[in-house]
């Protein structure tokens, strides 16, 4: 799989509760696309694990911001990005240095 944002890479199960919402803020060419995940459950336990997780994509600058207030799952979590060819990527550790 290439050309992706792993944020966090969990198997969310929305029918288990919570919601996913999105919106675009601002005007072109400086818009921000915001996706929010609130109180979602994860598969296969269907336990609600996330409080607030948000992704922001900035038009023109191509900046990607990831915010996690809490994500209580004991499953491993992956945060990162990868380009379209799979030849370049950054993990959360690299992003936080």
């Amino acid at each position: 799989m290439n050309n992706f944002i792993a944020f966090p890479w969990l198997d969310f199960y929305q029918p288990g509760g919570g919601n996913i919402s999105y919106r675009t803020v601002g005007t072109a060419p400086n818009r921000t696309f915001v996706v929010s995940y609130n109180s979602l459950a994860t598969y296969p336990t269907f336990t609600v694990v996330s409080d607030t997780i948000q992704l922001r994509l900035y038009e023109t600058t191509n900046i990607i911001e990831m915010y996690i207030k809490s994500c209580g799952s004991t499953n491993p979590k992956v945060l990162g990005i990868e380009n379209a060819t799979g030849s370049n990527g950054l993990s959360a550790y690299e992003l936080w240095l």
Side-chain angles (χ1 to χ4, degrees), residues 13-91:
Y13 181 74
Q14 189 177 1
N19 64 64
I20 301 171
S21 61
Y22 63 91
R23 67 186 185 281
T24 303
V25 180
T27 56
N30 298 304
R31 294 175 289 197
T32 304
F33 181 69
V34 181
V35 181
S36 298
Y37 303 80
N38 297 295
S39 301
L40 296 178
T42 58
Y43 182 85
T45 64
F46 308 114
T47 304
V48 173
V49 297
S50 66
D51 187 11
T52 300
I53 300 173
Q54 192 175 83
L55 174 67
R56 296 180 186 177
L57 306 174
Y58 292 86
E59 184 178 30
T60 306
T61 63
N62 295 321
I63 290 173
I64 299 169
E65 293 180 344
M66 301 177 193
Y67 297 93
I68 299 177
K69 183 176 178 183
S70 68
C71 192
S73 170
T74 58
N75 297 329
K77 297 161 202 67
V78 176
L79 295 175
I81 55 177
E82 185 177 284
N83 69 358
T85 63
S87 62
N88 197 4
L90 294 172
S91 69

